[in-house]
Amino acid sequence: MSVQSASSVRNASRAVWLKQLHQWHWISSAMCLLGMFLFSITGITLNHASQIEAKPSIVRKQAQLPAPLNAELRAYAEQHDGAKEPLPPKAEAWLEDTFKIQPGGRAAEWSADEIYLPLAKAGGDAWVRIGLEDGATEFENTDRGWISWLNDVHKGRNTGAAWNWFIDIFAVACLVFCITGLLILKFHAANRPFTWPMVGLGVLIPVVIALLFIH
C-alpha cells in the first residue's frame, strides 16, 4: 500500500470516528440540556442558601380516629411495640380521606400508646401522630418554599426512586457528553494550539482552589 493510500485510509477512519463522536456528543448534550440547566441554577441557590431567606409555612390539623379503627390499631400496636411498619390499609385510607395525604406504605413508628408516621418530602416535612389512648390524631405539614424544593431535588433528598434513577442516568449522560467532548478536542487539537492549555487550565483552577482554600 502506498503512503498516499495509507494516509487516505487514516483520514477516512478519522472522519468516521469524528462523525460518531459528534453524534454521541450532540445526543448526550440534548439529553442533559434541562438537567444541566436545573442543576446549574440549584447549584447557585445551594451555594447561597444562607443568604436566601425561606419562611416556612406550617399547617396543623387535628381529627378524631373512629373508635373501631382505634381499637384495631391499639391491638396491633400491643403486638408490634417498638416496630417500624406501615399502617394497615384501613388506617391509611382514613388518613387520605381526613387529611388528604398519601402515606403510600411508609413505615410508621409503633409504640403501645402512640403511632408516629414521618412523611418526609422535598422542600418541607410532614408527620402524623395518632394517640392510641383516646384516638386524638395530629397532622403537621411544613412547606419551605419552591427554592427549598429545588435544592432538595438537586440533592435527591426525599424525592423518590424515580428521581434517583433519573439522577443516575443523567450523570451517565453527562459523562458521555464530557468524554466525547474531550475526544473531539483531541481530534481538533492539531489545528487549535490553545486546546490543551485551556483544558489544563480547566483542570488546574478547581484543583488549586480545593487544595489552598478548602479546609
Side-chain angles (χ1 to χ4, degrees):
M1 182 182 292
S2 66
V3 174
Q4 185 175 2
S5 298
S7 178
S8 299
V9 170
R10 285 196 300 270
N11 289 337
S13 177
R14 181 179 183 275
V16 171
W17 271 107
L18 192 57
K19 181 179 180 181
Q20 191 67 52
L21 286 171
H22 275 289
Q23 186 172 12
W24 290 345
H25 191 65
W26 79 256
I27 291 175
S28 60
S29 67
M31 292 178 64
C32 292
L33 179 61
L34 182 58
M36 289 287 281
F37 181 80
L38 171 65
F39 280 86
S40 297
I41 295 296
T42 52
I44 296 173
T45 59
L46 277 169
N47 198 38
H48 297 275
S50 61
Q51 300 168 325
I52 302 174
E53 294 186 3
K55 187 176 181 180
S57 172
I58 302 176
V59 175
R60 296 184 178 90
K61 297 180 181 180
Q62 295 181 340
Q64 188 67 33
L65 196 68
L69 183 55
N70 188 27
E72 182 180 329
L73 292 179
R74 191 186 304 120
Y76 189 88
E78 289 176 355
Q79 299 174 3
H80 298 80
D81 189 11
K84 290 186 177 181
E85 296 184 8
L87 294 170
K90 289 183 181 179
E92 288 197 347
W94 182 80
L95 289 177
E96 290 181 19
D97 292 339
T98 305
F99 298 121
K100 310 304 178 187
I101 59 175
Q102 295 181 344
R106 301 191 194 198
E109 300 172 10
W110 293 79
S111 64
D113 58 352
E114 181 181 279
I115 303 171
Y116 178 78
L117 177 64
L119 298 167
K121 61 177 184 175
D125 194 15
W127 54 265
V128 172
R129 190 195 71 83
I130 302 174
L132 298 177
E133 294 293 333
D134 54 4
T137 305
E138 302 173 76
F139 167 64
E140 181 175 292
N141 180 63
T142 302
D143 186 348
R144 297 187 179 90
W146 66 271
I147 292 180
S148 179
W149 184 84
L150 286 173
N151 289 344
D152 284 347
V153 165
H154 180 109
K155 295 181 288 186
R157 176 180 177 272
N158 301 322
T159 51
W163 183 256
N164 288 336
W165 271 105
F166 168 77
I167 291 177
D168 289 340
I169 295 170
F170 168 74
V172 172
C174 285
L175 284 174
V176 173
F177 177 68
C178 293
I179 293 171
T180 54
L182 184 62
L183 293 174
I184 290 170
L185 287 175
K186 179 180 180 298
F187 273 100
H188 292 296
N191 300 320
R192 298 173 184 174
F194 281 102
T195 297
W196 295 125
M198 294 302 294
V199 171
L201 194 62
V203 174
L204 184 63
I205 289 175
V207 169
V208 170
I209 292 175
L211 291 176
L212 297 181
F213 300 105
I214 297 178
H215 304 288

